[in-house]
Amino acid sequence: MRPRVSQPVVTRYAGRRNDGRLFVALLLLLGLIGLYTSRQHTTEPRGALSGRARVLDGDSIEIAHARIRLAGIDAPEWDQTCLDGKGQPWACGRAAARELERHIAGGRLTCRSGGVDKYRRILAICFAPDGSDINAWMVRQGWAVAFGDVGDYRSEEHEAEAARRGMWAGSFLLPAQWRRHHP
């Protein structure tokens, strides 16, 4: 007599194979969801961002929960101090943020995105309702320095230095140098 293979054994085996397919499909679905989520948080937004800005520091703002780094400029860090004309320390980082806040005065800004930085902040040039460049204003007033190639605010920096405005009234470490000394 021959041994018979019972049907439940075949069914059990087919069920296991289907469980494996289900597991692979679930993994693929989770991977696609993860990829979609990652791309949503790392890609630059389409078009211009517009709205009321909240100042985070002298070169960073937030509009509608989007963190924006003002491109082409570098302002002193929040805790950075500078020396005034008499050699006395003063909180130039806090002053830069305060002056940006005062200049914006709760108005709506429009920011043109130019990419995303390594901290996933949107790099942008921002404009006041009258069309004036906020980034250029910060450099022209001596509350930031020109940084990188975006916007090329070198002429505004030379103007601020010659007029001894803001940080240029005394001496200071460039913000990038200050960050290297204060990690």
Side-chain angles (χ1 to χ4, degrees):
M1 283 207 179
R2 277 192 202 149
R4 276 170 115 206
V5 177
S6 65
Q7 190 64 23
V9 172
V10 173
T11 304
R12 204 174 327 140
Y13 176 74
R16 285 184 189 158
R17 187 171 25 164
N18 287 338
D19 287 347
R21 288 181 184 165
L22 181 62
F23 180 71
V24 169
L26 184 60
L27 280 178
L28 284 172
L29 179 63
L30 289 173
L32 288 172
I33 290 170
L35 179 64
Y36 174 78
T37 303
S38 170
R39 298 194 102 221
Q40 292 293 62
H41 291 290
T42 58
T43 57
E44 62 183 271
R46 307 276 183 228
L49 283 156
S50 188
R52 297 203 186 283
R54 181 172 73 94
V55 172
L56 304 175
D57 63 26
D59 55 19
S60 301
I61 61 173
E62 187 176 77
I63 296 176
H65 303 292
R67 287 182 175 254
I68 300 167
R69 168 76 158 74
L70 300 179
I73 72 171
D74 199 10
E77 296 300 317
W78 180 257
D79 290 331
Q80 186 171 344
T81 57
C82 299
L83 298 177
D84 66 16
K86 296 178 182 176
Q88 297 300 309
W90 62 285
C92 57
R94 287 184 174 89
R98 238 184 353 264
E99 291 300 319
L100 177 58
E101 181 74 46
R102 197 172 294 151
H103 182 64
I104 291 172
R108 291 180 60 85
L109 298 183
T110 300
C111 299
R112 282 195 327 241
S113 174
V116 178
D117 71 5
K118 66 181 181 180
Y119 301 109
R120 297 183 179 171
R121 296 175 297 187
I122 299 163
L123 293 169
I125 298 175
C126 296
F127 301 91
D130 66 2
S132 63
D133 182 335
I134 298 295
N135 306 29
W137 184 88
M138 285 295 288
V139 176
R140 190 177 303 110
Q141 298 306 312
W143 299 116
V145 294
F147 185 75
D149 298 330
V150 178
D152 195 17
Y153 299 111
R154 306 261 183 256
S155 63
E156 288 86 353
E157 182 177 301
H158 294 307
E159 180 185 329
E161 183 178 13
R164 304 194 55 75
R165 290 188 203 121
M167 300 181 301
W168 296 102
S171 62
F172 61 94
L173 277 178
L174 291 172
Q177 290 175 328
W178 191 88
R179 285 190 296 272
R180 279 195 295 275
H181 290 86
H182 302 86

